[in-house]
Amino acid sequence: MFEIFRNMTASRRQTLVQVLTYMLFCAAILIFPLFLDNDFLLNRYARYLVLGMVTMALSLSWGYAGILNLGQALSFGLGSYAMAMALKLRTVPVHTGAGGLPDFMVWNNVEKLPWFWEPFYSLGLAILAGIFVPVILAVVLGWFMFRGRITGVFVAIITLANLVVVNLLIIDQQRFTGGFNGITDLAQLEFFGFEFDAYSKSTYYLVAISLSLCLFGALALTKSKAGLILQAIRDHEERVRFFGYDVAVYQIMAMSVSAAIAGIAGMLYTVVMEFASPTFLSVPLSLSIVVWCAVGGRQSLLGATIGAIVVAGMQGALSESEAFLDTWMLIMGAIFVLVVLFLPNGLAGLIDMLARKAFGRGRHRKSDGPASDIIPTETAKSP
Amino acid sequence: MSEHLRIENLSVEFDGFKAVDNLNLSVDKGELRCLIGPNGAGKTTTLDLICGKTRSSKGSIQYRGREIANEPEYLIARAGIGRKFQVPSVFRQLTVRENLEVAYCRHVGVFANVVRSGHSPESDGLEKLADFVGLSGYLDEPAEHLSHGQTQWLEIALLLAQDSELILLDEPTAGMTHQETRKTAEICNRLKGKHTIIVVEHDMGFVREIGEVISVMHQGTVLAEGTVEEISRDERVKEVYLGSVGIDDA
Ligand SMILES: Nc1ncnc2c1ncn2[C@@H]1O[C@H](COP(=O)(O)OP(=O)(O)OP(=O)(O)O)[C@@H](O)[C@H]1O
Ligand SMILES: [Mg+2]
């Protein structure tokens, strides 16, 4: 009996340490502005936090459910466009062009606001769209993929292709989307009497608080029974079915929640950057998210978040000097290869391992599996 | 006793090769049925067909009077059929406790499970189960750290946690020591009556210990059916199978 009690506290203790670590991180990002009175830098850090958020969303689907979504930037970009459309319609007429039309529509000889722009007069509807358009797309795509039992690298290819299609569509439909230039010259976000100037503490706090809430929401999901089943699916998809779980529904759920968080992150990105652009749903960004996630540790929500902040931060710092900018992609590629080869669970896995060494036998969830398991495959999984 | 599972004229082909060919099998509720036969006789394939892992090309499988042939796996599992695979398959990255939590599947809906803790109040029962199969010291250990034998036991514990009405066991004692085999036999004997069990097994000692009715499979069909004594007297069975293994050697 004592043995059971001791073991139970071991697993509870692990959860407690995890929650405390997450709280520490959230506290750190929330008090950070007290030590930094530089709106320019705050804006930059808010940007990194947003990138951390979308990467955390990928960790939920990739790290926990084994769904390598190479189109993660799709949800992000759609969220960002939703916010940009709403803010564009809120600009004072001077910026908006004649007859209340956004300026780029006027240049493209559009005469009437397209029907799908109408709902964005309402900020509430825009925010709903920023969340639910990505979610609905994820459900539809997930339905086709997971009902058809598509797994592993094919999921990666399909999601990537999907991203490319939407990206091209947005660039192509310049009359309605602003094309290459995206949607620029936006009004400031305002709600509940707060103004969110991109270069202000209020925007930073909006981002930091959103990230904290999403982080804890996602953590709660991973700690639920559904979260456990997702991890079981990642491990051995087929076996889960024989316990009576409809695997496809769980996978669709994971992808949708991930899409929702990415959509929120995308909306925040527009507020921070003050524009939306096709690069927000481009292949390079999407692949960067995967790299950040792998570097930080895809099986740790916080690890993935910090991975994005650190790597994107490094990129930001290096890009100050022109010489480094060109080599950046090379450096990033090298980091990715090193992590895949030597740290299959990223920085979080490394810290986990060190902590285990320091504190003795603990619960070692993260396996130091072979590098090849970075992309889940069906092989060696059939019972 | 009422009929629990009824298989009629079941067939499946793999590229023209009939792995199961017009199989007929009927198992009563609470019965413990042993399925024996030479390698490649189609025993595993039969279990695959029952639990939905393989789709049949012809025939019917009725479980409690309901046709389940070619239904999706998860619906067959929900109807009350559990399976232990020939190659132990557990969730290697999850701890023993988490494995048991997944197997304990009273509620399978996604929405209910989002609000349900991954650490269920039934945990106590699951801990007893781990204790029962000798894994109580490994509750918080990932399953990949277990030995082959322990993995076998974990999978048996998963089946017990799942608590299905019809349990399909594919060579549960493979790689087990003599003592462990006896314990498995004991578990099977304890389960029968309440659960219906179909065991595929090569170990004749084990079959003797638990078997009431034995079905012998050969080339995809049932060759003979009867008690251990009847089977060991059957000339055809001797020819295809027992001649080489020897039912009396065990
Ligand atoms: N998916 C498949 N594709 C092609 N052939 C298959 C497939 N599954 C099984 N077979 C073949 O069907 C036959 C029956 O296989 P099965 O695994 O059912 O035999 P078994 O009775 O369980 O044998 P063992 O005692 O060796 O486990 C074998 O000849 C096997 O090669
Ligand atoms: Mg077999």
Side-chain angles (χ1 to χ4, degrees), chain B residues 44 86 170-171:
Chain B
T44 299
Q86 190 166 350
D170 202 347
E171 304 198 13

PDB file of all heavy atoms in Angstrom, chain B residues 44 86 170-171, ligand 2:
ATOM      1  N   THR B  44      -4.102 -16.752 -36.572  1.00  0.00           N
ATOM      2  CA  THR B  44      -4.013 -15.304 -36.348  1.00  0.00           C
ATOM      3  C   THR B  44      -4.955 -14.561 -37.288  1.00  0.00           C
ATOM      4  O   THR B  44      -5.638 -13.611 -36.886  1.00  0.00           O
ATOM      5  CB  THR B  44      -2.564 -14.826 -36.555  1.00  0.00           C
ATOM      6  OG1 THR B  44      -1.726 -15.488 -35.615  1.00  0.00           O
ATOM      7  CG2 THR B  44      -2.444 -13.330 -36.375  1.00  0.00           C
ATOM      8  N   GLN B  86      -0.211 -11.262 -31.223  1.00  0.00           N
ATOM      9  CA  GLN B  86       0.876 -12.231 -31.150  1.00  0.00           C
ATOM     10  C   GLN B  86       2.191 -11.528 -30.814  1.00  0.00           C
ATOM     11  O   GLN B  86       2.935 -11.967 -29.957  1.00  0.00           O
ATOM     12  CB  GLN B  86       0.985 -12.962 -32.495  1.00  0.00           C
ATOM     13  CG  GLN B  86       1.909 -14.153 -32.472  1.00  0.00           C
ATOM     14  CD  GLN B  86       1.723 -15.041 -33.708  1.00  0.00           C
ATOM     15  OE1 GLN B  86       0.793 -14.862 -34.481  1.00  0.00           O
ATOM     16  NE2 GLN B  86       2.603 -15.987 -33.888  1.00  0.00           N
ATOM     17  N   ASP B 170      -3.790 -14.246 -28.669  1.00  0.00           N
ATOM     18  CA  ASP B 170      -2.944 -14.877 -29.669  1.00  0.00           C
ATOM     19  C   ASP B 170      -1.605 -15.241 -29.039  1.00  0.00           C
ATOM     20  O   ASP B 170      -0.792 -14.376 -28.755  1.00  0.00           O
ATOM     21  CB  ASP B 170      -2.746 -13.937 -30.867  1.00  0.00           C
ATOM     22  CG  ASP B 170      -2.346 -14.690 -32.117  1.00  0.00           C
ATOM     23  OD1 ASP B 170      -1.990 -15.872 -31.995  1.00  0.00           O
ATOM     24  OD2 ASP B 170      -2.397 -14.096 -33.205  1.00  0.00           O
ATOM     25  N   GLU B 171      -1.397 -16.512 -28.820  1.00  0.00           N
ATOM     26  CA  GLU B 171      -0.181 -17.044 -28.225  1.00  0.00           C
ATOM     27  C   GLU B 171       0.271 -16.256 -26.996  1.00  0.00           C
ATOM     28  O   GLU B 171       1.350 -15.665 -26.988  1.00  0.00           O
ATOM     29  CB  GLU B 171       0.934 -17.089 -29.282  1.00  0.00           C
ATOM     30  CG  GLU B 171       0.485 -17.885 -30.491  1.00  0.00           C
ATOM     31  CD  GLU B 171       1.637 -18.351 -31.378  1.00  0.00           C
ATOM     32  OE1 GLU B 171       2.787 -18.266 -30.948  1.00  0.00           O
ATOM     33  OE2 GLU B 171       1.344 -18.811 -32.479  1.00  0.00           O
TER      34      GLU B 171
HETATM   35 MG    MG C   2      -0.343 -16.595 -35.567  1.00  0.00          MG
END
